[in-house]
Amino acid sequence: MESFTKEQIEKFGISLDFATDLADDDSIATATVSALARSTGLAATSTVIVSSAVDGTEVQAVVQAGTPGEIYEIRFTATTAAGMVYSHVVAMWVR
């Protein structure tokens, strides 16, 4: 699992590229980005995800805040024009 670390006060963009998942003639139609706190298993999307967007083969998100010492699992889910669904998780460590 990929991971990154951020300070609680930071707010910045991250992205995940789905190019290797997509067939040559397919594209991302819709995408969602969600988050959960690993220690509790509770949803944390409204706390740490500001926004998300699709740009070509990438799904982008802006992350913020978080509780120091917590690890958040950021799930990127892309649905393609052909109806395929791909999902990847990135760990976000907050200091």
Side-chain angles (χ1 to χ4, degrees):
M1 175 186 307
E2 292 182 47
S3 65
F4 67 96
T5 302
K6 70 176 280 305
E7 298 289 334
Q8 182 184 28
I9 63 168
E10 292 179 311
K11 177 180 177 180
F12 56 82
I14 60 172
S15 64
L16 197 133
D17 196 340
F18 285 85
T20 59
D21 296 311
L22 299 173
D24 289 340
D25 60 346
D26 206 359
S27 61
I28 298 174
T30 62
T32 59
V33 180
S34 60
L36 66 84
R38 188 178 284 173
S39 67
T40 63
L42 296 176
T45 304
S46 62
T47 302
V48 299
I49 305 296
V50 176
S51 62
S52 63
V54 174
D55 184 11
T57 61
E58 289 187 352
V59 176
Q60 303 170 336
V62 174
V63 294
Q64 69 174 4
T67 302
E70 182 65 81
I71 302 168
Y72 295 89
E73 293 184 3
I74 311 296
R75 179 172 299 276
F76 292 80
T77 304
T79 302
T80 73
M84 301 294 111
V85 178
Y86 300 102
S87 187
H88 297 281
V89 176
V90 175
M92 179 177 80
W93 300 67
V94 178
R95 332 181 249 227

